[in-house]
Amino acid sequence: MIQRTNLTFATLLVIAASISSVVAAEAIEDIHIVPKAEKLRGYRGINGDLIQRKDGSLLFCYTEYGDGGGIVSKTSTDQGSTWSEPKVIVAQPPSSGPGRYNHPSLLQLDNGDLLISYNYTTHPAKPYYAMTLYRRSADQGETWSEQLPMTPYAGYTLVHNDKLLSLKDGRIIAVAATKKYMPSSHDHNGYVGLTFYSDDQGYSWHPSKNEVDLYDSRKIEVQEPDAVELKDGRLLMFARSYSGYPLKAYSEDRGETWSKGELIRELKMPYAGLPTVRRIPSTGDLLFIWISGKSKSESGLPLRSVLSTAISQDEGETFVHQRNLVDDPTNDLGYQCIEFLKDGTALIVYHSNDGLHMSRLNVDWFYGK
């Protein structure tokens, strides 16, 4: 009898574990927002940004390349369950030249306008050249103004997707990286981080007075940075590197100057990917999203195969509740964007081998609930 009871209890534990696994999986709803033909290492250059408009609908902007492509928008009126047909809002330059547009970011301004930024880049033409442009919309993305420059900076300077933020005092920050060293070769070397700021709702822009530069002394690049405003008014920069860890830096003057960068050794980044940091509106905690794992394809190419999240309840000093949003050794993931809805839903869009996917989940998931 005792043996049979123990067996029954063990069986119940297995069943409970299975149910728990199913519930956890169902807590994340996957929506294939931009389907594409499956391709090794996916569609790293096409993701963009997502924003909830004043009427509650969603606007998503991303990149299509080639003739007929450009910065493209899709809209949803049901929290992302279904999406409109794509609409080109900024056509790509003529395909005979090397230049192209990519990596849009969106920001709702205090004056009611929507701001969109995107890069013009000639990569892989050498020497590299890139700058960031912007347009405005007074009708929530239905029409857009002419494009104007955002980054008054020489060389190869990029603001990647979902890298615009508004500070409490109204200043707008665009978080950028520039290829300061070896400007004509070695794509993944020589980057430093910086910011551009605007105090007039995005009409004029100014670069930070210094850069977050670990390359000069330690040969550690600062790439694709993001930033968030801390409760004490400082800014925290969160950037990728090829050191095996992401890194952080601080600004005490609203993005005009930056501290020396430092590695975040509590978070592993074995294969560098675009990082994200946001404050969760409903809890006040910081959410960090980054690539925490890698694998190899059958042909031996490295893949960014684990997209993870972690919570910081002390403004980025320590990290808890690390979870894997996607863990797939056959897939390549990243260049995510995130939007929090008023009902506590989080929407995260990321690229994969078959296009762009959106994870829809309640913020409780980030805490393991």
Side-chain angles (χ1 to χ4, degrees):
M1 179 66 68
I2 293 175
Q3 185 176 12
R4 183 163 48 204
T5 302
N6 287 342
L7 180 61
T8 302
F9 181 68
T11 303
L12 288 173
L13 284 177
V14 172
I15 293 172
S18 300
I19 293 173
S20 176
S21 177
V22 170
V23 170
E26 290 179 347
I28 301 178
E29 182 182 1
D30 177 74
I31 298 168
H32 201 174
I33 185 171
V34 180
K36 294 281 187 181
E38 187 147 344
K39 183 175 72 171
L40 181 63
R41 298 181 77 174
Y43 295 84
R44 293 183 177 183
I46 77 169
N47 203 8
D49 201 2
L50 178 70
I51 197 167
Q52 187 170 31
R53 299 189 287 191
K54 291 181 178 179
D55 64 359
S57 65
L58 298 174
L59 173 66
F60 177 59
C61 293
Y62 62 103
T63 306
E64 293 283 7
Y65 295 103
D67 293 337
I71 305 300
V72 178
S73 69
K74 300 181 80 169
T75 59
S76 173
T77 58
D78 54 12
Q79 294 195 327
S81 293
T82 59
W83 291 87
S84 68
E85 291 299 311
K87 172 186 174 183
V88 176
I89 59 175
V90 183
Q92 289 287 10
S95 59
S96 58
R100 63 192 190 276
Y101 299 132
N102 61 14
H103 285 288
S105 293
L106 294 163
L107 186 67
Q108 179 69 63
L109 302 179
D110 292 341
N111 68 1
D113 287 353
L114 271 183
L115 190 72
I116 186 171
S117 70
Y118 48 91
N119 295 321
Y120 171 77
T121 171
T122 64
H123 179 274
K126 296 179 181 179
Y128 297 158
Y129 173 79
M131 69 178 302
T132 304
L133 305 163
Y134 77 90
R135 294 178 187 243
R136 313 174 70 89
S137 175
D139 53 15
Q140 293 293 286
E142 296 300 322
T143 60
W144 296 91
S145 71
E146 292 300 313
Q147 65 186 18
L148 295 167
M150 175 181 281
T151 53
Y153 224 69
Y156 192 63
T157 303
L158 300 164
V159 175
H160 281 81
N161 63 298
D162 197 12
K163 300 302 180 202
L164 301 178
L165 67 148
S166 293
L167 306 187
K168 294 175 183 177
D169 62 7
R171 172 171 284 188
I172 302 169
I173 300 290
V175 196
T178 189
K179 195 170 176 57
K180 183 176 181 179
Y181 302 94
M182 297 186 294
S184 63
S185 61
H186 299 89
D187 181 38
H188 294 298
N189 293 97
Y191 287 91
V192 298
L194 71 159
T195 46
F196 295 85
Y197 61 91
S198 172
D199 290 321
D200 58 7
Q201 292 292 285
Y203 286 101
S204 59
W205 295 87
H206 310 277
S208 54
K209 296 181 177 66
N210 72 325
E211 301 146 342
V212 181
D213 184 352
L214 276 73
Y215 199 84
D216 185 31
S217 59
R218 302 175 62 184
K219 296 298 182 285
I220 296 175
E221 61 292 316
V222 180
Q223 273 190 284
E224 301 174 358
D226 199 6
V228 68
E229 187 173 15
L230 300 181
K231 293 177 180 178
D232 63 7
R234 293 179 301 158
L235 300 186
L236 168 65
M237 181 183 288
F238 181 47
R240 86 178 206 179
S241 80
Y242 280 81
S243 67
Y245 306 95
L247 56 89
K248 63 181 178 180
Y250 295 93
S251 173
E252 297 184 354
D253 52 15
R254 302 154 62 235
E256 295 184 27
T257 61
W258 287 91
S259 69
K260 190 78 173 177
E262 55 187 283
L263 298 180
I264 307 175
R265 297 188 180 275
E266 297 89 344
L267 304 179
K268 294 182 179 180
M269 183 180 275
Y271 187 8
L274 177 139
T276 299
V277 57
R278 290 291 183 278
R279 190 173 301 282
I280 300 176
S282 59
T283 68
D285 297 330
L286 296 184
L287 173 68
F288 291 77
I289 312 174
W290 79 104
I291 296 294
S292 70
K294 68 176 182 177
S295 60
K296 285 187 177 180
S297 68
E298 292 182 357
S299 61
L301 286 174
L303 303 175
R304 297 167 179 159
S305 58
V306 185
L307 183 62
S308 294
T309 67
I311 295 292
S312 178
Q313 296 173 316
D314 54 10
E315 299 294 89
E317 295 297 324
T318 61
F319 305 89
V320 294
H321 303 301
Q322 181 171 332
R323 307 198 70 188
N324 294 336
L325 185 72
V326 188
D327 183 352
D328 182 354
T330 67
N331 214 336
D332 190 83
L333 312 164
Y335 285 97
Q336 66 281 345
C337 63
I338 184 168
E339 181 74 356
F340 295 102
L341 306 185
K342 294 177 181 178
D343 66 355
T345 300
L347 305 176
I348 302 175
V349 181
Y350 58 92
H351 78 78
S352 69
N353 287 350
D354 61 355
L356 298 178
H357 286 254
M358 184 177 77
S359 291
R360 185 164 59 186
L361 61 154
N362 190 281
V363 296
D364 286 345
W365 182 89
F366 299 121
Y367 295 85
K369 300 178 182 178

